[in-house]
Amino acid sequence: EPEVTQTPSHQVTQMGQEVILRCVPISNHLYFYWYRQILGQKVEFLVSFYNNEISEKSEIFDDQFSVERPDGSNFTLKIRSTKLEDSAMYFCASSAGGIGELFFGEGSRLTVL
Amino acid sequence: GQQLNQSPQSMFIQEGEDVSMNCTSSSIFNTWLWYKQDPGEGPVLLIALYKAGELTSNGRLTAQFGITRKDSFLNISASIPSDVGIYFCAGQSQGTSYDKVIFGPGTSLSVIP
């Protein structure tokens, strides 16, 4: 069964460092998303991406965050200068275009020290 | 902004019991979805609802899209231990693009064998 894969599964970084989280969405999907979940809290929308550009973003997704799809298969989330409060599980999701039917990866846990 | 509320926040039930949980919003939603998250994993889609009043089943799960388009419920019949997890409602609200799906805070379900 096709699935969304994410790497790394866990990354520990120092505050102020840049982090790139990688995702390989399901191959025929057209919409891509990043969500984050702080431990024990709800799943928060960060950004959606369609047709090689951001289509929606939340207030959380400030100038420190960026996304790109560099090679037609990978979908990356970059955090330019990490802060302690960026520690969370980051989930990538993709959708074929069906309304809201998102398929999630297993997440990348980011720990900022 | 759009916000979803879920009740109850957590529930402890005996194996074999039926479960009911709710999701409400102050704004109208065009699509309601129910996801389940197991510990350390990404959310998995259980049921998607697209029309007001729609009642949809998936095995032991039944969900309904409220007539007012501001609420939805999820029922689980004859619970089993593997039903343990966090259940999130999610939706895409009227007036936003299909590219933004937001999640409720979740209902944590524990099943006592």
Side-chain angles (χ1 to χ4, degrees), chain A residues 17-104:
Chain A
Q17 295 295 304
E18 176 182 284
V19 160
I20 297 176
L21 304 178
R22 292 182 168 80
C23 170
V24 179
I26 294 173
S27 63
N28 62 343
H29 283 187
L30 300 176
Y31 294 80
F32 313 110
Y33 308 80
W34 283 100
Y35 284 79
R36 98 175 166 190
Q37 186 177 33
I38 294 169
L39 186 63
Q41 298 187 25
K42 70 177 181 182
V43 178
E44 298 176 292
F45 172 80
L46 292 179
V47 65
S48 59
F49 192 87
Y50 170 72
N51 202 25
N52 283 321
E53 59 183 22
I54 290 173
S55 46
E56 287 272 1
K57 59 182 181 178
S58 72
E59 319 76 57
I60 302 168
F61 194 88
D62 61 21
D63 292 344
Q64 293 298 312
F65 291 87
S66 62
V67 290
E68 63 175 4
R69 196 157 181 250
D71 57 11
S73 61
N74 290 287
F75 178 51
T76 62
L77 174 70
K78 182 193 292 186
I79 308 174
R80 215 177 318 277
S81 176
T82 51
K83 304 188 283 285
L84 294 176
E85 54 266 37
D86 293 328
S87 294
M89 188 74 112
Y90 288 82
F91 290 105
C92 173
S94 69
S95 169
I99 302 165
E101 293 187 15
L102 276 55
F103 291 82
F104 283 82

Side-chain angles (χ1 to χ4, degrees), chain B:
Chain B
Q2 302 103 31
Q3 204 168 341
L4 294 173
N5 303 301
Q6 287 189 246
S7 63
Q9 188 175 6
S10 63
M11 48 196 321
F12 294 80
I13 60 166
Q14 291 283 341
E15 183 177 357
E17 287 184 358
D18 297 342
V19 172
S20 185
M21 57 188 80
N22 278 342
C23 186
T24 59
S25 171
S26 57
S27 54
I28 289 173
F29 276 70
N30 289 336
T31 305
W32 288 92
L33 309 116
W34 286 92
Y35 285 82
K36 182 188 177 214
Q37 186 179 30
D38 291 329
E41 298 186 13
V44 174
L45 180 65
L46 300 174
I47 291 181
L49 303 155
Y50 301 107
K51 284 167 46 177
E54 179 181 354
L55 183 73
T56 297
S57 293
N58 178 8
R60 293 179 297 107
L61 278 58
T62 302
Q64 183 156 33
F65 191 145
I67 289 290
T68 64
R69 293 162 68 189
K70 293 183 178 181
D71 64 319
S72 175
F73 71 74
L74 175 71
N75 288 343
I76 306 172
S77 62
S79 58
I80 58 177
S82 61
D83 290 334
V84 166
I86 301 178
Y87 291 79
F88 291 101
C89 65
Q92 179 265 324
S93 65
Q94 189 173 41
T96 68
S97 76
Y98 291 143
D99 300 342
K100 184 175 181 179
V101 175
I102 64 169
F103 280 69
T107 292
S108 174
L109 176 65
S110 299
V111 178
I112 303 164

